[in-house]
Amino acid sequence: KLASLYRETDRLRDALHVLDVCLREGADIPQVAWEAGLTAFTLKRYEIMLTYLDRYKAAVGDQLWIDYYRATGLLERGEPTAALEAIDHEQELVGEPALHLFIIRGCAFAALDRTEDAQQEFEAALAIPLGTVDYLSAPGISSLLIRALESSKIHLSDKAFETRFEDRLLES
């Protein structure tokens, strides 16, 4: 409850500290590890986020969104091959095409210099009408599009892709 209060008052570091203390003191409620993982993700503390998510996954098994966040953290750590494995596992759980899966997979392919594969994934993401994406928040969509834009600038050097992602960002 204290971590929730801290989150509601924009004190995310304090919230993460409280959740971390709970976990270190033996809290066996899986939701605490999940909340710690999401809070660490928001704070861009990817290393520790992976630890919390692994603990959550060990407690509850395969659940939607775990491997999406893991894949994002692995990308941030410079592990695109592991990120691909995680996002492919998430795809198995989701079972259908989804914006966040295309973008993370595209970013991983781009980081591996698999340009054609990355472009395919980004094209698939751009083909999805944003109005149909009801499984992500508006900030989540924007964050993903920014990630794709940055990845395309760094790895693809394709001005046409950059422009399309910039336009999509403005739409979102």
PDB file of all heavy atoms in Angstrom, residues 33-57:
ATOM      1  N   ALA A  33       6.437  -8.650  -6.794  1.00  0.00           N
ATOM      2  CA  ALA A  33       7.528  -8.732  -7.773  1.00  0.00           C
ATOM      3  C   ALA A  33       7.099  -8.113  -9.105  1.00  0.00           C
ATOM      4  O   ALA A  33       7.896  -7.428  -9.760  1.00  0.00           O
ATOM      5  CB  ALA A  33       7.954 -10.185  -7.970  1.00  0.00           C
ATOM      6  N   TRP A  34       5.852  -8.332  -9.499  1.00  0.00           N
ATOM      7  CA  TRP A  34       5.339  -7.740 -10.742  1.00  0.00           C
ATOM      8  C   TRP A  34       5.350  -6.210 -10.657  1.00  0.00           C
ATOM      9  O   TRP A  34       5.826  -5.535 -11.572  1.00  0.00           O
ATOM     10  CB  TRP A  34       3.941  -8.257 -11.029  1.00  0.00           C
ATOM     11  CG  TRP A  34       3.283  -7.633 -12.221  1.00  0.00           C
ATOM     12  CD1 TRP A  34       2.232  -6.777 -12.223  1.00  0.00           C
ATOM     13  CD2 TRP A  34       3.640  -7.822 -13.593  1.00  0.00           C
ATOM     14  NE1 TRP A  34       1.907  -6.420 -13.506  1.00  0.00           N
ATOM     15  CE2 TRP A  34       2.764  -7.051 -14.370  1.00  0.00           C
ATOM     16  CE3 TRP A  34       4.629  -8.564 -14.239  1.00  0.00           C
ATOM     17  CZ2 TRP A  34       2.835  -6.996 -15.761  1.00  0.00           C
ATOM     18  CZ3 TRP A  34       4.697  -8.510 -15.623  1.00  0.00           C
ATOM     19  CH2 TRP A  34       3.808  -7.736 -16.368  1.00  0.00           C
ATOM     20  N   GLU A  35       4.832  -5.685  -9.569  1.00  0.00           N
ATOM     21  CA  GLU A  35       4.804  -4.225  -9.394  1.00  0.00           C
ATOM     22  C   GLU A  35       6.221  -3.653  -9.351  1.00  0.00           C
ATOM     23  O   GLU A  35       6.484  -2.585  -9.895  1.00  0.00           O
ATOM     24  CB  GLU A  35       4.035  -3.849  -8.132  1.00  0.00           C
ATOM     25  CG  GLU A  35       2.544  -4.108  -8.218  1.00  0.00           C
ATOM     26  CD  GLU A  35       1.850  -3.335  -9.319  1.00  0.00           C
ATOM     27  OE1 GLU A  35       2.228  -2.176  -9.597  1.00  0.00           O
ATOM     28  OE2 GLU A  35       0.915  -3.898  -9.918  1.00  0.00           O
ATOM     29  N   ALA A  36       7.122  -4.371  -8.717  1.00  0.00           N
ATOM     30  CA  ALA A  36       8.518  -3.923  -8.676  1.00  0.00           C
ATOM     31  C   ALA A  36       9.105  -3.921 -10.086  1.00  0.00           C
ATOM     32  O   ALA A  36       9.816  -2.980 -10.475  1.00  0.00           O
ATOM     33  CB  ALA A  36       9.340  -4.811  -7.750  1.00  0.00           C
ATOM     34  N   GLY A  37       8.801  -4.944 -10.870  1.00  0.00           N
ATOM     35  CA  GLY A  37       9.292  -5.011 -12.241  1.00  0.00           C
ATOM     36  C   GLY A  37       8.771  -3.864 -13.095  1.00  0.00           C
ATOM     37  O   GLY A  37       9.524  -3.231 -13.834  1.00  0.00           O
ATOM     38  N   LEU A  38       7.479  -3.584 -12.987  1.00  0.00           N
ATOM     39  CA  LEU A  38       6.904  -2.485 -13.770  1.00  0.00           C
ATOM     40  C   LEU A  38       7.438  -1.127 -13.326  1.00  0.00           C
ATOM     41  O   LEU A  38       7.675  -0.246 -14.158  1.00  0.00           O
ATOM     42  CB  LEU A  38       5.375  -2.506 -13.667  1.00  0.00           C
ATOM     43  CG  LEU A  38       4.670  -3.687 -14.322  1.00  0.00           C
ATOM     44  CD1 LEU A  38       3.162  -3.540 -14.186  1.00  0.00           C
ATOM     45  CD2 LEU A  38       5.074  -3.838 -15.769  1.00  0.00           C
ATOM     46  N   THR A  39       7.632  -0.966 -12.041  1.00  0.00           N
ATOM     47  CA  THR A  39       8.176   0.295 -11.533  1.00  0.00           C
ATOM     48  C   THR A  39       9.613   0.474 -12.010  1.00  0.00           C
ATOM     49  O   THR A  39      10.003   1.559 -12.442  1.00  0.00           O
ATOM     50  CB  THR A  39       8.081   0.345  -9.996  1.00  0.00           C
ATOM     51  OG1 THR A  39       6.706   0.145  -9.617  1.00  0.00           O
ATOM     52  CG2 THR A  39       8.560   1.672  -9.465  1.00  0.00           C
ATOM     53  N   ALA A  40      10.394  -0.590 -11.966  1.00  0.00           N
ATOM     54  CA  ALA A  40      11.775  -0.529 -12.459  1.00  0.00           C
ATOM     55  C   ALA A  40      11.790  -0.230 -13.960  1.00  0.00           C
ATOM     56  O   ALA A  40      12.634   0.534 -14.438  1.00  0.00           O
ATOM     57  CB  ALA A  40      12.505  -1.841 -12.160  1.00  0.00           C
ATOM     58  N   PHE A  41      10.843  -0.789 -14.699  1.00  0.00           N
ATOM     59  CA  PHE A  41      10.737  -0.504 -16.132  1.00  0.00           C
ATOM     60  C   PHE A  41      10.486   0.991 -16.359  1.00  0.00           C
ATOM     61  O   PHE A  41      11.140   1.614 -17.185  1.00  0.00           O
ATOM     62  CB  PHE A  41       9.604  -1.327 -16.750  1.00  0.00           C
ATOM     63  CG  PHE A  41       9.351  -1.034 -18.195  1.00  0.00           C
ATOM     64  CD1 PHE A  41      10.134  -1.611 -19.180  1.00  0.00           C
ATOM     65  CD2 PHE A  41       8.323  -0.189 -18.585  1.00  0.00           C
ATOM     66  CE1 PHE A  41       9.901  -1.348 -20.525  1.00  0.00           C
ATOM     67  CE2 PHE A  41       8.086   0.088 -19.917  1.00  0.00           C
ATOM     68  CZ  PHE A  41       8.875  -0.495 -20.887  1.00  0.00           C
ATOM     69  N   THR A  42       9.557   1.556 -15.620  1.00  0.00           N
ATOM     70  CA  THR A  42       9.242   2.975 -15.746  1.00  0.00           C
ATOM     71  C   THR A  42      10.457   3.836 -15.437  1.00  0.00           C
ATOM     72  O   THR A  42      10.689   4.861 -16.082  1.00  0.00           O
ATOM     73  CB  THR A  42       8.071   3.352 -14.821  1.00  0.00           C
ATOM     74  OG1 THR A  42       6.938   2.520 -15.145  1.00  0.00           O
ATOM     75  CG2 THR A  42       7.676   4.807 -14.976  1.00  0.00           C
ATOM     76  N   LEU A  43      11.248   3.401 -14.472  1.00  0.00           N
ATOM     77  CA  LEU A  43      12.457   4.133 -14.088  1.00  0.00           C
ATOM     78  C   LEU A  43      13.656   3.805 -14.978  1.00  0.00           C
ATOM     79  O   LEU A  43      14.757   4.319 -14.750  1.00  0.00           O
ATOM     80  CB  LEU A  43      12.811   3.838 -12.633  1.00  0.00           C
ATOM     81  CG  LEU A  43      11.847   4.390 -11.588  1.00  0.00           C
ATOM     82  CD1 LEU A  43      12.134   3.798 -10.212  1.00  0.00           C
ATOM     83  CD2 LEU A  43      11.940   5.911 -11.549  1.00  0.00           C
ATOM     84  N   LYS A  44      13.451   2.940 -15.950  1.00  0.00           N
ATOM     85  CA  LYS A  44      14.518   2.511 -16.865  1.00  0.00           C
ATOM     86  C   LYS A  44      15.666   1.838 -16.127  1.00  0.00           C
ATOM     87  O   LYS A  44      16.825   1.966 -16.474  1.00  0.00           O
ATOM     88  CB  LYS A  44      15.014   3.675 -17.723  1.00  0.00           C
ATOM     89  CG  LYS A  44      13.926   4.244 -18.590  1.00  0.00           C
ATOM     90  CD  LYS A  44      14.414   5.368 -19.457  1.00  0.00           C
ATOM     91  CE  LYS A  44      13.232   5.859 -20.289  1.00  0.00           C
ATOM     92  NZ  LYS A  44      13.603   6.919 -21.190  1.00  0.00           N
ATOM     93  N   ARG A  45      15.309   1.083 -15.102  1.00  0.00           N
ATOM     94  CA  ARG A  45      16.279   0.292 -14.335  1.00  0.00           C
ATOM     95  C   ARG A  45      16.132  -1.158 -14.799  1.00  0.00           C
ATOM     96  O   ARG A  45      15.585  -2.008 -14.102  1.00  0.00           O
ATOM     97  CB  ARG A  45      15.996   0.430 -12.834  1.00  0.00           C
ATOM     98  CG  ARG A  45      15.957   1.848 -12.316  1.00  0.00           C
ATOM     99  CD  ARG A  45      17.171   2.310 -11.560  1.00  0.00           C
ATOM    100  NE  ARG A  45      17.906   1.336 -10.818  1.00  0.00           N
ATOM    101  CZ  ARG A  45      17.769   1.093  -9.514  1.00  0.00           C
ATOM    102  NH1 ARG A  45      16.887   1.761  -8.798  1.00  0.00           N
ATOM    103  NH2 ARG A  45      18.530   0.199  -8.930  1.00  0.00           N
ATOM    104  N   TYR A  46      16.605  -1.415 -15.999  1.00  0.00           N
ATOM    105  CA  TYR A  46      16.315  -2.666 -16.686  1.00  0.00           C
ATOM    106  C   TYR A  46      16.969  -3.886 -16.052  1.00  0.00           C
ATOM    107  O   TYR A  46      16.376  -4.965 -16.038  1.00  0.00           O
ATOM    108  CB  TYR A  46      16.696  -2.549 -18.164  1.00  0.00           C
ATOM    109  CG  TYR A  46      15.932  -1.452 -18.847  1.00  0.00           C
ATOM    110  CD1 TYR A  46      16.557  -0.279 -19.253  1.00  0.00           C
ATOM    111  CD2 TYR A  46      14.562  -1.566 -19.063  1.00  0.00           C
ATOM    112  CE1 TYR A  46      15.842   0.742 -19.873  1.00  0.00           C
ATOM    113  CE2 TYR A  46      13.844  -0.551 -19.674  1.00  0.00           C
ATOM    114  CZ  TYR A  46      14.488   0.596 -20.072  1.00  0.00           C
ATOM    115  OH  TYR A  46      13.779   1.597 -20.669  1.00  0.00           O
ATOM    116  N   GLU A  47      18.165  -3.728 -15.541  1.00  0.00           N
ATOM    117  CA  GLU A  47      18.856  -4.865 -14.935  1.00  0.00           C
ATOM    118  C   GLU A  47      18.038  -5.437 -13.773  1.00  0.00           C
ATOM    119  O   GLU A  47      17.769  -6.628 -13.714  1.00  0.00           O
ATOM    120  CB  GLU A  47      20.242  -4.429 -14.452  1.00  0.00           C
ATOM    121  CG  GLU A  47      21.104  -5.558 -13.974  1.00  0.00           C
ATOM    122  CD  GLU A  47      21.644  -6.382 -15.127  1.00  0.00           C
ATOM    123  OE1 GLU A  47      21.933  -5.830 -16.186  1.00  0.00           O
ATOM    124  OE2 GLU A  47      21.781  -7.605 -14.926  1.00  0.00           O
ATOM    125  N   ILE A  48      17.640  -4.567 -12.880  1.00  0.00           N
ATOM    126  CA  ILE A  48      16.882  -5.029 -11.725  1.00  0.00           C
ATOM    127  C   ILE A  48      15.462  -5.435 -12.131  1.00  0.00           C
ATOM    128  O   ILE A  48      14.881  -6.343 -11.550  1.00  0.00           O
ATOM    129  CB  ILE A  48      16.898  -3.984 -10.588  1.00  0.00           C
ATOM    130  CG1 ILE A  48      16.469  -4.642  -9.289  1.00  0.00           C
ATOM    131  CG2 ILE A  48      16.051  -2.783 -10.916  1.00  0.00           C
ATOM    132  CD1 ILE A  48      16.848  -3.871  -8.065  1.00  0.00           C
ATOM    133  N   MET A  49      14.925  -4.789 -13.166  1.00  0.00           N
ATOM    134  CA  MET A  49      13.602  -5.168 -13.666  1.00  0.00           C
ATOM    135  C   MET A  49      13.594  -6.636 -14.073  1.00  0.00           C
ATOM    136  O   MET A  49      12.660  -7.375 -13.757  1.00  0.00           O
ATOM    137  CB  MET A  49      13.220  -4.299 -14.862  1.00  0.00           C
ATOM    138  CG  MET A  49      11.896  -4.704 -15.490  1.00  0.00           C
ATOM    139  SD  MET A  49      11.684  -4.110 -17.181  1.00  0.00           S
ATOM    140  CE  MET A  49      12.791  -5.174 -18.080  1.00  0.00           C
ATOM    141  N   LEU A  50      14.647  -7.060 -14.758  1.00  0.00           N
ATOM    142  CA  LEU A  50      14.722  -8.456 -15.191  1.00  0.00           C
ATOM    143  C   LEU A  50      14.722  -9.410 -13.997  1.00  0.00           C
ATOM    144  O   LEU A  50      14.091 -10.467 -14.037  1.00  0.00           O
ATOM    145  CB  LEU A  50      15.956  -8.672 -16.062  1.00  0.00           C
ATOM    146  CG  LEU A  50      15.900  -7.982 -17.425  1.00  0.00           C
ATOM    147  CD1 LEU A  50      17.265  -8.000 -18.093  1.00  0.00           C
ATOM    148  CD2 LEU A  50      14.854  -8.619 -18.309  1.00  0.00           C
ATOM    149  N   THR A  51      15.390  -9.022 -12.938  1.00  0.00           N
ATOM    150  CA  THR A  51      15.419  -9.844 -11.727  1.00  0.00           C
ATOM    151  C   THR A  51      14.014  -9.989 -11.139  1.00  0.00           C
ATOM    152  O   THR A  51      13.578 -11.089 -10.795  1.00  0.00           O
ATOM    153  CB  THR A  51      16.372  -9.233 -10.684  1.00  0.00           C
ATOM    154  OG1 THR A  51      17.675  -9.150 -11.252  1.00  0.00           O
ATOM    155  CG2 THR A  51      16.417 -10.073  -9.415  1.00  0.00           C
ATOM    156  N   TYR A  52      13.310  -8.864 -11.030  1.00  0.00           N
ATOM    157  CA  TYR A  52      11.947  -8.897 -10.478  1.00  0.00           C
ATOM    158  C   TYR A  52      11.018  -9.717 -11.367  1.00  0.00           C
ATOM    159  O   TYR A  52      10.204 -10.498 -10.865  1.00  0.00           O
ATOM    160  CB  TYR A  52      11.381  -7.483 -10.331  1.00  0.00           C
ATOM    161  CG  TYR A  52      12.104  -6.613  -9.350  1.00  0.00           C
ATOM    162  CD1 TYR A  52      12.365  -5.282  -9.658  1.00  0.00           C
ATOM    163  CD2 TYR A  52      12.519  -7.081  -8.107  1.00  0.00           C
ATOM    164  CE1 TYR A  52      13.013  -4.446  -8.760  1.00  0.00           C
ATOM    165  CE2 TYR A  52      13.172  -6.255  -7.209  1.00  0.00           C
ATOM    166  CZ  TYR A  52      13.419  -4.939  -7.542  1.00  0.00           C
ATOM    167  OH  TYR A  52      14.063  -4.125  -6.658  1.00  0.00           O
ATOM    168  N   LEU A  53      11.122  -9.529 -12.680  1.00  0.00           N
ATOM    169  CA  LEU A  53      10.244 -10.266 -13.588  1.00  0.00           C
ATOM    170  C   LEU A  53      10.546 -11.758 -13.583  1.00  0.00           C
ATOM    171  O   LEU A  53       9.634 -12.587 -13.668  1.00  0.00           O
ATOM    172  CB  LEU A  53      10.339  -9.702 -15.003  1.00  0.00           C
ATOM    173  CG  LEU A  53       9.781  -8.296 -15.193  1.00  0.00           C
ATOM    174  CD1 LEU A  53       9.943  -7.849 -16.635  1.00  0.00           C
ATOM    175  CD2 LEU A  53       8.331  -8.206 -14.763  1.00  0.00           C
ATOM    176  N   ASP A  54      11.820 -12.115 -13.464  1.00  0.00           N
ATOM    177  CA  ASP A  54      12.173 -13.533 -13.366  1.00  0.00           C
ATOM    178  C   ASP A  54      11.575 -14.146 -12.097  1.00  0.00           C
ATOM    179  O   ASP A  54      11.078 -15.271 -12.111  1.00  0.00           O
ATOM    180  CB  ASP A  54      13.686 -13.722 -13.398  1.00  0.00           C
ATOM    181  CG  ASP A  54      14.286 -13.460 -14.771  1.00  0.00           C
ATOM    182  OD1 ASP A  54      13.524 -13.424 -15.766  1.00  0.00           O
ATOM    183  OD2 ASP A  54      15.517 -13.276 -14.848  1.00  0.00           O
ATOM    184  N   ARG A  55      11.610 -13.390 -11.028  1.00  0.00           N
ATOM    185  CA  ARG A  55      11.024 -13.872  -9.769  1.00  0.00           C
ATOM    186  C   ARG A  55       9.513 -14.033  -9.903  1.00  0.00           C
ATOM    187  O   ARG A  55       8.936 -15.027  -9.453  1.00  0.00           O
ATOM    188  CB  ARG A  55      11.363 -12.893  -8.651  1.00  0.00           C
ATOM    189  CG  ARG A  55      10.899 -13.338  -7.296  1.00  0.00           C
ATOM    190  CD  ARG A  55      11.480 -12.482  -6.220  1.00  0.00           C
ATOM    191  NE  ARG A  55      10.971 -12.890  -4.926  1.00  0.00           N
ATOM    192  CZ  ARG A  55      11.444 -12.456  -3.791  1.00  0.00           C
ATOM    193  NH1 ARG A  55      12.451 -11.617  -3.768  1.00  0.00           N
ATOM    194  NH2 ARG A  55      10.925 -12.860  -2.648  1.00  0.00           N
ATOM    195  N   TYR A  56       8.885 -13.066 -10.556  1.00  0.00           N
ATOM    196  CA  TYR A  56       7.437 -13.140 -10.773  1.00  0.00           C
ATOM    197  C   TYR A  56       7.090 -14.349 -11.646  1.00  0.00           C
ATOM    198  O   TYR A  56       6.175 -15.115 -11.330  1.00  0.00           O
ATOM    199  CB  TYR A  56       6.947 -11.843 -11.423  1.00  0.00           C
ATOM    200  CG  TYR A  56       5.474 -11.838 -11.728  1.00  0.00           C
ATOM    201  CD1 TYR A  56       4.532 -11.787 -10.709  1.00  0.00           C
ATOM    202  CD2 TYR A  56       5.022 -11.870 -13.040  1.00  0.00           C
ATOM    203  CE1 TYR A  56       3.176 -11.779 -10.975  1.00  0.00           C
ATOM    204  CE2 TYR A  56       3.667 -11.857 -13.314  1.00  0.00           C
ATOM    205  CZ  TYR A  56       2.748 -11.810 -12.297  1.00  0.00           C
ATOM    206  OH  TYR A  56       1.406 -11.801 -12.578  1.00  0.00           O
ATOM    207  N   LYS A  57       7.840 -14.528 -12.723  1.00  0.00           N
ATOM    208  CA  LYS A  57       7.581 -15.634 -13.641  1.00  0.00           C
ATOM    209  C   LYS A  57       7.777 -16.985 -12.949  1.00  0.00           C
ATOM    210  O   LYS A  57       7.027 -17.932 -13.189  1.00  0.00           O
ATOM    211  CB  LYS A  57       8.485 -15.524 -14.872  1.00  0.00           C
ATOM    212  CG  LYS A  57       8.132 -16.479 -15.977  1.00  0.00           C
ATOM    213  CD  LYS A  57       8.941 -16.176 -17.221  1.00  0.00           C
ATOM    214  CE  LYS A  57       8.530 -17.078 -18.354  1.00  0.00           C
ATOM    215  NZ  LYS A  57       9.167 -16.703 -19.614  1.00  0.00           N
TER     216      LYS A  57
END
